[in-house]
Amino acid sequence: MGAAPASRDSFVARSSLAVDGRAVALYRLRALTPRFDVDALPYALKVLLENLLRHEDGVSVTAADVEAVAGWRGATAEPEEIAFFPSRILMQDFTGVPAIVDLAALRDAAATFGSDPRAVNPLVPVDLVIDHSIVADVTGRPDAFVRNAELEFERNRERYELLRWAQGSFAGLRVVPPNTGICHQVNLEYLARVVEERDGVAFPDTLVGTDSHTPMVNGLGVLGWGVGGIEAEAAALGQPISMRIPPVVGFKLTGELREGTTATDLVLTVTELLRRHGVVGKFVEFYGPGVGRVSLENRATIGNMSPEYGSTVTMFPVDGETLRYLRMTGRSPGQVRLVEAYAKEQGLWHDETAEPVYSEQLELDVSTVVPSLAGPKRPQDRVPLGAAKHAFRTALHASVEAGAGARRAPGGSDPAVPDGAPDSPDVASALSFPASDPPATTFGGAPEPPGADAGRAAPEPAANAPRPTHPVPVRLADGTRFALDHGHVVIAAITSCTNTSNPSVMLAAGLLAKNAVERGLAAKPWVKTSLAPGSKVVMDYYERAGLLPSLEKLGFHLVGYGCTTCIGNSGPLAPEISAAVEEGRLSVCSVLSGNRNFEGRIHPDCRMNYLASPPLVVAYALAGSMDVDLYGEPLGTGSDGRPVTLRDVWPSSADVQRAVEACVDAGMFARGYERVFEGDASWRSLAATAGERFPWSETSTYVRRPPFLEALRREPPPLADVRGARVLAWLGDSVTTDHISPAGVIRRDSPAGSWLLEHGVEVRDFNSYGARRGNHEVMIRGTFANPRIRNRLVPGVEGGVTAQLPDGETKSIYDAAVRYAAEGVPLVVLAGREYGSGSSRDWAAKGTALLGVRAVLAESFERIHRSNLIGMGVLPLEFAEGESAESLGLSGRERFDVEGLAGQEALPPALTVRADGRAFEVRVRIDTASEAAYFRHGGILPFVLRQLTGRGGA
């Protein structure tokens, strides 16, 4: 399965390579060297070039495509379109369940068209890892993991039965059961091969994944990136990924991390630099003498954050460090030898003296990295730890002020300025921190890092003002009393594949906990602490290191092997704490070792969210507040009555390294993944329905046949203009897919909550939007339902509401869309820059389409969401450079016409928009011929169905 058809091999590139005394075939890149300087290509483009050589068929891939990549010398004005055939697909359950639902619906539609339903079957291997459904309901007690796993199966039985059916019905689909690990960490530690061999042919391991953090595997030298679920479905069914040859940003590394800094500090620094530089839609590739001094685990941490700075991939080349990691994680000696031989033969082995050709270049001396965190609402908003208290106070003023002035829409939560609010102050951009702070020194008794002084200099006026305070008395069920105030940390979570894949930062957290417990410190009683590793191996080396008792003493008990807090599955706070937050309209905080901190994502009660390394998560649990200078103020009082500071408990790099060397070995990984696909007794006991078509249940509230393919015509309709459209929502900058399609809590008084109540689901069983993605009835009602989103049509109100035009009555976005549909009125969305940033969430596009939105007019789009919109037949349009809804004087209450489509055989590059007589030009952001074909068919699913059944042209 997944083997490419025989290549035309126009360049006579097929050859052989001797490995372990046997010959394997390969498509040799140096066959092109008489005409092209292949050695000068970036690593990632060499992988793409091999992919083209191996798939050259004269149709999807031509000799001209091969020559375009082989002759690449940087970005061009009109980059060539090429086809990419990934060797495998990676899914997680939040995106995987709707993908399986779509494939099941495609089988039904194929039968309706008179074709064999079995024609709908993955042609490329698919791995689906169930990692997003575990919720940190129970924390801080020894049975937390067992109880949370029980609750997970109680809630998700219908979804899991669908996956068991799919596992048996679709050839080439493997499912990794719940509580095995996070998909990206499982991919890094087990699934990824670096070099694959099929049917006697060796080639680079490549993939696309339905989660935007798929580039984590780039740290291993594997080319892969995140795509929308519907695009991944098409790839699994044999459709190529259409793309233009990307610009490649070379990022030169020199130096190495200094004492007192962690991989998290490095990745937050890189995130800030790359987001500032601008890498959306580009490849980033690391090179130079510093690469060899960056551990594989740290490389993976950097790659994981690719969507936070917007790059498609963040590649590291193969080198000796890659081989070390493969050995450590239990890959076979033969596989390691294949990787080394292939990489060296193909020019994919890293040469630290080489200077490949890049489109753009950056450089970082890693020794300048200082301890950092990011927040309070975006992962690229890095703050040096020494400046954290100052930055927090500045942000707190804005948060408290916004919370006091905003009204809450039905189904909303505590108000706060959302990530995408048009009128929200950008707190981070108002702060002036140096791009490169002075080197850090050790916390253990050494002088304070100079970067801390620099960060505290020249405080903002807001930071000099009195700190907002509003203490609310709380008495917990066990009798504990305290006052909860603005800035208190109510969630401290060691979670997410980003950092739990890295033994050095995980062991640093455990060592810090041990030191803190020995000094008599405890987590503050208002902090909900949790530990959710990305794989079972973490608990093995914690146990061997003897660190679990200390972590558990501070409340960091195992809650599950999954994303938990980072995806919004943080579970409930103590009801007394939530009541205090509501009563005092408090701006309370979360600190997590994850990759996402958008408002409304982590927990409805947390307006301010910070990303930090695992040891800093423990430190903030001890401090209990963001309003603390961890360099100069104590974490608490020790058992001897003396104050204990961070430098008193911070482990040295030598301590951490000794723990890694003593407690992490290949045997742990071999044992941990020995029976990775078997699952526990609960998984094995699930009923697995047989049959080529899924037996839908009309009473299911989790899994329903989607309406995307209903009443589908055999031929695609002609292009048509949009006439008389109304604006459903007018949104601001950096609106994320979390705002468009939230993954977290379903509120009782939301449209989705009302539907569930009407269908007999009690509030305690609502689960989350992410878990309900197999049910379009819930998801369409949850589109634009994030409690933090602001729609300019209803100023001063937060939540998923709009003004029903022309009368202006305030309604939920879903109810307004239903009325517009009944009246035959098409809809558009207006937006600012970076529309659709964040997770690769296909329901952000599916829900948009089902609400009746025909076009989105934005200043710019994030790559994956733009692709998803096209995949659902929604037209992405960009305002002309320098123009916006505001600059054009739009009110959002006009009627919109989108002209220039009707009668056209090909999509034009620009269209005219008329808004009550005002006309302006917009750019059509359909960038490739494949995207144009998908749009012409009304989306990817209709296109694939017509291709599989021989209906309709491209």
Side-chain angles (χ1 to χ4, degrees), residues 734-781:
S734 299
V735 170
T736 71
T737 51
D738 282 272
H739 290 101
I740 305 168
S741 182
V745 175
I746 301 173
R747 306 287 294 195
R748 172 198 287 269
D749 52 354
S750 67
S754 297
W755 187 91
L756 289 170
L757 289 171
E758 290 167 6
H759 287 76
V761 180
E762 297 186 25
V763 174
R764 68 172 182 269
D765 297 321
F766 274 11
N767 213 326
S768 66
Y769 283 111
R772 295 277 180 182
R773 285 181 184 165
N775 183 350
H776 63 278
E777 297 287 4
V778 171
M779 298 309 297
I780 187 176
R781 289 165 172 80

Side-chain angles (χ1 to χ4, degrees), residues 908-933:
L911 297 172
T912 298
V913 176
R914 299 187 187 277
D916 287 353
R918 183 185 291 106
F920 53 93
E921 295 294 310
V922 292
R923 178 187 173 197
V924 178
R925 282 304 315 277
I926 294 180
D927 297 348
T928 68
S930 293
E931 288 179 349

Side-chain angles (χ1 to χ4, degrees), residues 628-645:
V628 60
D629 176 5
L630 292 184
Y631 285 127
E633 299 177 38
L635 297 171
T637 302
S639 54
D640 59 1
R642 301 176 64 180
V644 179
T645 66

Side-chain angles (χ1 to χ4, degrees), residues 251-268:
F251 200 135
K252 189 172 187 177
L253 293 181
T254 59
E256 56 186 313
L257 285 173
R258 299 287 298 270
E259 183 70 36
T261 57
T262 68
T264 313
D265 305 320
L266 173 61
V267 74
L268 293 178

Side-chain angles (χ1 to χ4, degrees), residues 196-214:
E196 185 64 88
E197 182 183 345
R198 294 182 196 159
D199 299 325
V201 179
F203 52 90
D205 178 14
T206 58
L207 73 151
V208 291
T210 59
D211 189 290
S212 54
H213 295 97
T214 300

Side-chain angles (χ1 to χ4, degrees), residues 617-810:
V617 170
V618 177
Y620 277 107
L622 298 170
S625 174
M626 292 303 301
D627 192 38
V628 60
D629 176 5
L630 292 184
Y631 285 127
E633 299 177 38
L635 297 171
T637 302
S639 54
D640 59 1
R642 301 176 64 180
V644 179
T645 66
L646 182 61
R647 65 182 69 237
D648 293 330
V649 296
W650 190 270
S652 70
S653 296
D655 290 339
V656 173
Q657 187 58 34
R658 279 192 295 270
V660 171
E661 292 172 355
C663 302
V664 184
D665 63 41
M668 291 179 174
F669 293 90
R671 291 188 297 274
Y673 288 106
E674 187 176 14
R675 295 182 175 85
V676 66
F677 298 107
E678 292 184 8
D680 59 15
S682 297
W683 176 257
R684 294 192 298 271
S685 69
L686 287 173
T689 306
E692 62 190 30
R693 295 174 63 180
F694 184 70
W696 307 98
S697 170
E698 290 301 317
T699 61
S700 174
T701 60
Y702 274 100
V703 178
R704 293 206 169 197
R705 189 195 334 246
F708 311 128
L709 300 171
E710 291 179 359
L712 186 70
R713 291 188 285 183
R714 294 179 181 267
E715 300 293 333
L719 292 173
D721 293 340
V722 180
R723 297 286 182 185
R726 289 290 190 182
V727 175
L728 182 64
W730 181 5
L731 308 171
D733 295 336
S734 299
V735 170
T736 71
T737 51
D738 282 272
H739 290 101
I740 305 168
S741 182
V745 175
I746 301 173
R747 306 287 294 195
R748 172 198 287 269
D749 52 354
S750 67
S754 297
W755 187 91
L756 289 170
L757 289 171
E758 290 167 6
H759 287 76
V761 180
E762 297 186 25
V763 174
R764 68 172 182 269
D765 297 321
F766 274 11
N767 213 326
S768 66
Y769 283 111
R772 295 277 180 182
R773 285 181 184 165
N775 183 350
H776 63 278
E777 297 287 4
V778 171
M779 298 309 297
I780 187 176
R781 289 165 172 80
T783 305
F784 297 109
N786 187 297
R788 302 292 189 236
I789 198 168
R790 283 190 180 181
N791 183 353
R792 277 195 170 183
L793 296 181
V794 280
V797 179
E798 290 180 328
V801 295
T802 192
Q804 183 89 54
L805 301 172
D807 54 28
E809 179 185 356
T810 298

Side-chain angles (χ1 to χ4, degrees), residues 791-871:
N791 183 353
R792 277 195 170 183
L793 296 181
V794 280
V797 179
E798 290 180 328
V801 295
T802 192
Q804 183 89 54
L805 301 172
D807 54 28
E809 179 185 356
T810 298
K811 287 186 174 181
S812 75
I813 281 180
Y814 172 75
D815 289 337
V818 169
R819 179 172 151 186
Y820 282 129
E823 296 171 350
V825 177
L827 301 171
V828 297
V829 168
L830 302 179
R833 298 182 297 274
E834 298 177 351
Y835 183 73
S837 58
S839 302
S840 54
R841 192 159 297 170
D842 57 343
W843 258 108
K846 288 179 175 178
T848 298
L850 289 180
L851 287 174
V853 174
R854 297 280 302 280
V856 176
L857 284 71
E859 293 175 57
S860 66
F861 292 89
E862 288 280 318
R863 173 185 61 86
I864 297 177
H865 185 59
R866 182 191 64 82
S867 173
N868 280 341
L869 289 172
I870 296 166

